[in-house]
Amino acid sequence: EKGTLINSAQFDGIDATSARDKITEYAQSQGFGEFKTQYRLRDWLISRQRYWGAPIPIVYCPHCGEVPVDESSLPVLLPEDVDFSVKGKSPIETSATFKETICPKCGAKATRDTDTMDTFVCSSWYYLRYADAKNDKECFNRDLVNKWLPVDQYIGGIEHAILHLLYSRFFTKALRDCGLLDFDEPFANLLTQGMVLKDGSKMSKSKGNTVDPDEIYANYGADTARLFILSDSPPARDFDWTDAGVEGCYKFISRVYRLYSKFQDRIKLDYEFDVKNLSKKDDDFVRQVHIAIKKITHDIENEFQFNTVISSYRELTNTLYEYTKNENEINNDVLSFGLLTLLKLISPVCVFMAEEIYSGLGAAKSIHELDWPKFDENLAKTSAITLI
């Protein structure tokens, strides 16, 4: 059977995943093996012969040897009198003011280290500094960092999966061991996003297949760009940029806008109706809106399935167009509920359009200050099904 062991003595017929544990348990009981977690962390040379980076705060004294810079003299700042045209060595070597110094220990003439640290040293703890970025007395305030961290949701490309995330965990655990933190992991959740492709290959300047965002904003607006980026596929998968896709999203936004333009005079910001006294048409429509609220809320909060959120926007828009086919049968309060709910639901994506429409309805505050729509669990179910 596929995925099971053969020719493995007492482990024959066991699936590969279970077999790993059982074989290791056997090796441990016989004294020739053990369970071990192997991290891909190696000794790390952090010095770089380049200008951009944090200077290594070490002074070389002919009498005292390697001496750390006095804490009162930190941070060591990069010199500005450097020659960037120099070849084969760090530009910092050319500074007339930086290299020559005195030993903090004995006061003799000494020289500074002219290497800078690998940029990973800075990027491995930036999320901690964010919590207290203007602190000039310490790297960060312990109470503030413990209040705000760990990061709830980390989103990054696949190239971060090994080095950056591993170093960040290492720094966090080391700082925890030093008593500067109360938590063990830097990031609670990770979402690895896919790459943006054009014509089936990765966007790059060398291939000349990049897209100018300014051009998209000028021709279609930022809402269209955002809607298209989210509509194609789940964030974890690669995303194929197509001009036709952008055009399609622009047409959808225009279709939504026309709906509000047509019924602007019938929309009530303070709508009110009793769900128990609705016609069948109104009841079916209200249920469809509650179903949409439930699905969109779930997909945003739990799944990061933004492409299905966009699909739900389209479905709800179709539902609204269907409901308003016969204008003589429209209940203005029910219509207002549907249109304002769609506006709130779409506002995180079509930020500007939603704000413009809501403002045009005479609202006193921003749509982005309103509470997120709530759904009634009983109404978020279809009242009837077709059983074949």
Side-chain angles (χ1 to χ4, degrees), residues 22-23 30 35 42 54 116 150 160 225 260 275 278 280 373 377:
K22 291 184 182 297
I23 291 170
Q30 299 299 307
F35 286 96
R42 303 285 182 269
T116 53
H160 293 152
Y260 289 89
V275 291
L278 295 176
K280 185 178 185 312
E377 192 66 63

Side-chain angles (χ1 to χ4, degrees), residues 253-270:
I253 287 178
S254 300
R255 187 167 183 252
V256 172
Y257 193 86
R258 285 196 301 274
L259 194 59
Y260 289 89
S261 297
K262 184 175 181 180
F263 295 105
Q264 184 170 9
D265 295 337
R266 299 179 70 159
I267 299 173
K268 300 178 180 180
L269 294 177
D270 54 348

Side-chain angles (χ1 to χ4, degrees), residues 1-16 19 23:
E1 189 181 335
K2 187 178 178 182
T4 58
L5 272 59
I6 60 169
N7 303 326
S8 302
Q10 69 264 40
F11 304 106
D12 281 354
I14 301 174
D15 71 272
I23 291 170

Side-chain angles (χ1 to χ4, degrees), residues 47-312:
S47 61
R48 299 288 181 270
Q49 293 71 53
R50 63 182 176 210
Y51 178 81
W52 187 249
I56 294 175
I58 295 292
V59 168
Y60 298 101
C61 174
H63 310 293
C64 308
E66 298 174 3
V67 183
V69 170
D70 230 19
E71 196 166 320
S72 61
S73 300
L74 294 177
V76 177
L77 301 177
L78 288 166
E80 295 185 16
D81 56 338
V82 293
D83 179 6
F84 285 105
S85 65
V86 69
K87 304 291 183 187
K89 61 182 179 180
S90 169
I92 298 172
E93 289 270 2
T94 68
S95 169
T97 60
F98 184 82
K99 193 170 181 180
E100 302 301 325
T101 185
I102 57 169
C103 173
K105 204 170 186 180
C106 70
K109 284 187 177 181
T111 56
R112 290 186 188 277
D113 195 316
T114 55
D115 283 355
T116 53
M117 290 186 244
D118 182 354
T119 52
F120 265 122
V121 173
C122 299
S123 66
S124 294
W125 67 283
Y126 71 91
Y127 46 93
L128 300 168
R129 181 69 180 174
Y130 274 165
D132 194 15
K134 295 182 179 178
N135 192 332
D136 61 357
K137 300 289 187 294
E138 53 195 344
C139 54
F140 48 75
N141 177 274
R142 189 175 186 277
D143 293 336
L144 275 175
V145 164
N146 285 323
K147 174 186 175 181
W148 288 106
L149 277 289
V151 174
D152 297 300
Q153 180 67 52
Y154 182 99
I155 301 175
I158 190 66
E159 69 274 10
H160 293 152
I162 298 170
L163 296 179
H164 172 56
L165 293 177
L166 196 58
Y167 295 154
S168 297
R169 295 186 70 217
F170 177 83
F171 267 62
T172 300
K173 291 174 187 294
L175 290 166
R176 175 207 60 194
D177 291 349
C178 291
L180 294 172
L181 306 173
D182 287 348
F183 49 91
D184 185 48
E185 295 286 352
F187 316 120
N189 295 287
L190 168 68
L191 172 67
T192 302
Q193 68 200 30
M195 290 187 297
V196 180
L197 310 175
K198 183 81 161 54
D199 304 322
S201 59
K202 182 181 178 181
M203 275 193 190
S204 71
K205 289 180 182 175
S206 59
K207 291 179 182 175
N209 65 343
T210 56
V211 172
D212 182 359
D214 289 338
E215 200 175 300
I216 302 296
Y217 302 153
N219 293 331
Y220 299 102
D223 285 349
T224 299
R226 190 183 297 105
L227 184 76
F228 176 53
I229 288 168
L230 296 176
S231 67
D232 181 77
S233 56
R237 282 188 20 210
D238 290 346
F239 165 68
D240 208 349
W241 185 281
T242 64
D243 295 335
V246 176
E247 185 72 37
C249 286
Y250 180 70
K251 286 179 179 175
F252 169 67
I253 287 178
S254 300
R255 187 167 183 252
V256 172
Y257 193 86
R258 285 196 301 274
L259 194 59
Y260 289 89
S261 297
K262 184 175 181 180
F263 295 105
Q264 184 170 9
D265 295 337
R266 299 179 70 159
I267 299 173
K268 300 178 180 180
L269 294 177
D270 54 348
Y271 61 83
E272 192 175 354
F273 58 85
D274 183 358
V275 291
K276 295 175 183 175
N277 296 317
L278 295 176
S279 68
K280 185 178 185 312
K281 179 182 176 178
D282 291 342
D283 181 70
D284 288 343
F285 174 71
V286 169
R287 286 179 185 279
Q288 290 300 317
V289 176
H290 278 273
I291 289 168
I293 298 171
K294 181 179 180 181
K295 185 167 191 326
I296 290 168
T297 303
H298 174 270
D299 289 355
I300 289 176
E301 289 186 346
N302 302 305
E303 302 293 336
F304 282 104
Q305 297 293 339
F306 298 119
N307 59 313
T308 61
V309 170
I310 309 304
S311 297
S312 296

